[in-house]
């Protein structure tokens, strides 16, 4: 999202030189003529709200020193996904029963830069309001039929609701620009979308949105602005707290993408051994000064999920210390009730009620990572499966940039970082070798407890100003699987190849069918939707069917799961419905339930408290011999008496231990 003027200048400088070095992308698709005209769209959609029925072919790639660009001739429009036979052919790995397979299933309507799945198999996709908008309508360098046109072709929409059951979509309008917002499902199943763009386009149809707090109803497909942040939040993170209120952390008020120095912050040490924690000032390409505090939003706030009120904003020292490589910080609730924050190359566990943060002294000091892992040098973090009785807690961060102040020419990291954050554990960072370097990847937690990693680039950082402009290059299309049950250092393996470049503004999430939906890549104007079907659904083993399960449960109570088609069950899990953007999968977690099976019924015990599993909607998967069922949606009920944003404790939120409330080594608060 570097300023458009900067990109326009750079594009003019490099386009001519780079066209002589054209390189085909993987397996180029057969060129398809641009055939969908506005009149045809009107015929398909007689209401005049035209649907985007074309999908882009694989673009050619330019090798350039900085951003690369695509000319109009190289953007090959596809045909209607519902009738084109080529679009439904599966893309297989070497052996689908071992590696799984990818399949193109349709068209996302709006580029899936943000994905917010709801419990009814509808997904909200968000992208910027036409990144090549001429403030009066579409420019002519990309055919208009490749836009999501609405209002009889006079406007370009930036969001769409996608139906996973039939792979169709319809436009959806959010006036307050929600690109680069943070979002998660509220306990009642609606979605909180906080912050977004600081740039308005074609106002008032699209407005500046980085102070807006919105709630989206995925059932009735509408939304409202319910509050406003006092300062802008561009690239914030969101998490559900144990009391059911929503934590909003960090963000920025101005763009900081790419850095003007590659100086190492590690002194005599190296990034690998992490022997030094000295810092370095990274200067933005656009001439911004990261030291200016007005550019940062180094605060957190609590959003009351019932009244929609906001607490006051409180400053976090970890965000001050790690600016500017700390937007979209990784935030997840731990079984102790504290919140793990990973910002830049720093980690802290903090209790974070509305009245002020305090350290989780039971966990203690956490390590310094070898390099920053947040946007724009983004890796993808996952909380590994939680299982009782102890609920030992480990996190894994896949990829990112291999340099501290990374640039568009910096190699991506081919390492993952593993840290055990269980109280009393050895918190040292364990680096594990992946098959490919990957920045801007997406790590999705599967029902069998493994982690599926897809998307991303091998060179550069996150960022870009729309179609054809990027500060990353050389996509990583082959997916990988991380198996936490194997020995450290032996956990990664490669699976199928998607054969589609998905870089900046891509996303992925777990579906109710135990598959992974993959979409997006604004850089390459990618509208094709893919499903990755894991090997566990293609190995010939029988699949359990859930015949009965509760729709809602309380904590620490027994409940039954009925099943058929298999002789038993050996794993029952709750996977949180998690939204996705910029490598961040908000609220993603899996709880392994204790169950015993008799006949065709399993008696299970729900999670013990809301710190292990914050209230809200989960996908319940029942598995046998590694094969999961389709999900049944289960709501973990929010406690009746919760903490409101004025900081009055209720029964729903565990208070910090007394020693933690007086120890605040890295917290500064402001009114």
């Amino acid at each position: 999202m570097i300023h458009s003027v900067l990109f326009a200048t750079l594009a003019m400088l490099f386009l001519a030189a780079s066209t002589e070095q054209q390189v085909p992308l993987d397996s180029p698709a057969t060129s398809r003529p641009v055939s969908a005209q506005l009149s045809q769209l009107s015929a398909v959609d007689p209401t005049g709200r035209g649907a985007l029925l074309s999908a882009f072919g694989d673009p050619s790639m330019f090798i350039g020193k900085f951003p690369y660009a695509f000319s109009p001739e190289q953007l090959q429009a596809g045909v209607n996904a519902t009738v084109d036979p080529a679009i439904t052919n599966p893309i297989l790995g070497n052996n689908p029963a071992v590696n799984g397979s990818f399949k193109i299933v349709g068209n996302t309507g709006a580029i899936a830069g943000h994905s917010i799945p709801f419990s009814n198999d509808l997904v909200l996709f968000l992208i910027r309001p036409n990144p090549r908008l001429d403030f009066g309508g579409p420019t002519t360098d990309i055919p208009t039929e490749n836009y999501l046109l609405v209002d009889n072709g006079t406007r370009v929409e930036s969001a769409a609701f996608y139906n996973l059951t039939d792979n169709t979509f319809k436009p959806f309008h959010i006036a307050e620009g929600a690109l680069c917002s943070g979002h998660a499902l509220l306990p009642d199943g609606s979605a909180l979308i906080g912050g977004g763009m600081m740039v308005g386009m074609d106002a008032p149809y699209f407005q500046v949105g980085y102070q807006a707090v919105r709630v989206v109803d995925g059932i009735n497909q509408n939304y409202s602005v319910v509050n406003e942040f006092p300062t802008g939040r561009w690239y914030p993170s969101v998490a559900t707290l144990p009391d059911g209120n929503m934590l909003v952390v960090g963000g920025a008020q101005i763009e900081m993408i790419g850095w003007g120095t590659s100086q190492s912050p590690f002194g005599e040490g190296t990034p690998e051994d992490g022997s030094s924690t000295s810092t370095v000032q990274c200067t933005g390409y656009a001439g911004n000064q990261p030291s200016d505090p007005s550019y940062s939003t180094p605060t957190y706030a609590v959003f009351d999920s019932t009244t929609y009120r906001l607490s006051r904003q409180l400053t976090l020292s970890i965000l001050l210390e790690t600016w500017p490589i700390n937007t979209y910080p990784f935030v997840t609730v731990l079984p102790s009730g504290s919140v793990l924050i990973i910002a830049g190359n720093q980690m802290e566990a903090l209790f974070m009620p509305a009245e002020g943060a305090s350290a989780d002294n039971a966990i203690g000091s956490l390590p310094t990572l070898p390099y920053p892992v947040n946007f724009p040098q983004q890796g993808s973090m996952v909380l590994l499966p939680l299982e009782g009785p102890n609920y030992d807690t480990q996190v894994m961060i896949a990829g990112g940039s291999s340099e501290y102040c990374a640039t568009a020419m910096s190699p991506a990291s081919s390492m993952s970082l593993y840290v055990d954050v269980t109280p009393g554990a050895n918190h040292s960072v364990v680096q594990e070798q992946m098959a490919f370097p990957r920045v801007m990847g997406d790590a999705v937690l599967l029902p069998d407890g493994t982690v599926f990693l897809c998307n991303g680039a091998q060179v550069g950082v996150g960022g870009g100003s729309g179609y054809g402009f990027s500060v990353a290059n050389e996509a990583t299309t082959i997916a990988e699987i991380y198996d936490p049950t194997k020995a450290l250092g032996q956990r990664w393996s490669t699976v199928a190849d998607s054969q589609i470049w998905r870089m900046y503004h891509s996303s992925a999430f777990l579906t109710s069918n135990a598959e992974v939906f993959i979409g997006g890549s604004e850089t390459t104007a990618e509208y094709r939707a893919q499903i990755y079907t894991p090997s566990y659904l293609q190995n010939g083993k029988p699949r359990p069917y859930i015949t009965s399960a509760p729709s809602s449960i309380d904590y620490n109570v027994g409940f039954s799961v009925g099943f058929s088609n298999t002789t038993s069950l050996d794993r029952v899990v709750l996977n949180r419905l998690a939204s996705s953007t910029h490598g961040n999968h908000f609220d993603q977690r899996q709880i392994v339930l204790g169950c015993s099976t008799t006949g065709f019924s399993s008696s299970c015990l729900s999670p013990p408290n809301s710190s292990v599993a914050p209230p809200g909607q989960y996908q319940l998967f029942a598995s046998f011999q590694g094969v999961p069922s389709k999900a049944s949606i289960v709501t973990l009920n929010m406690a009746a008496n919760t903490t409101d944003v004025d900081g009055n404790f209720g029964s729903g939120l565990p208070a910090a231990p007394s020693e933690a409330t007086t120890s605040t080594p890295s917290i500064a608060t402001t009114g």
Side-chain angles (χ1 to χ4, degrees), residues 30-37 54-55 76-79 145:
T30 303
S31 178
R32 304 183 182 118
V34 176
S35 58
Q37 302 299 322
S54 58
Q76 301 172 347
V79 297
E145 60 266 26

Side-chain angles (χ1 to χ4, degrees), residues 32 48 54 77 79 96 112 167 193 201 258 272-273 281 297 324 326 362 392 394 399 501 519 524 558 581 584-585 652:
R32 304 183 182 118
S54 58
V79 297
N167 296 300
I193 302 178
M201 292 182 172
E272 284 72 25
D273 63 30
Q281 184 70 61
T297 307
N326 67 4
D392 292 344
Q394 297 87 29
W501 280 34
T524 52
T581 189
N584 216 324
H585 294 251

Side-chain angles (χ1 to χ4, degrees), residues 470-530:
S470 176
V471 282
N473 215 326
E474 296 286 354
T476 305
T477 62
I478 298 176
E480 299 188 50
I481 292 285
Y482 181 84
D483 187 347
T485 66
K486 294 183 178 180
L488 285 166
Q490 301 176 26
R491 295 180 170 184
W492 284 107
S493 60
T494 58
V495 286
D497 185 348
S498 74
Q499 300 183 20
I500 294 179
W501 280 34
R502 297 195 189 273
M503 298 189 294
Y504 190 49
H505 285 158
S506 299
S507 59
F509 60 89
L510 181 68
T511 73
S512 61
N513 195 38
E515 298 174 307
V516 180
F517 184 99
I518 303 106
S521 188
E522 186 187 33
T523 298
T524 52
E526 184 58 71
Y527 290 88
R528 287 173 293 180
Q530 284 181 296

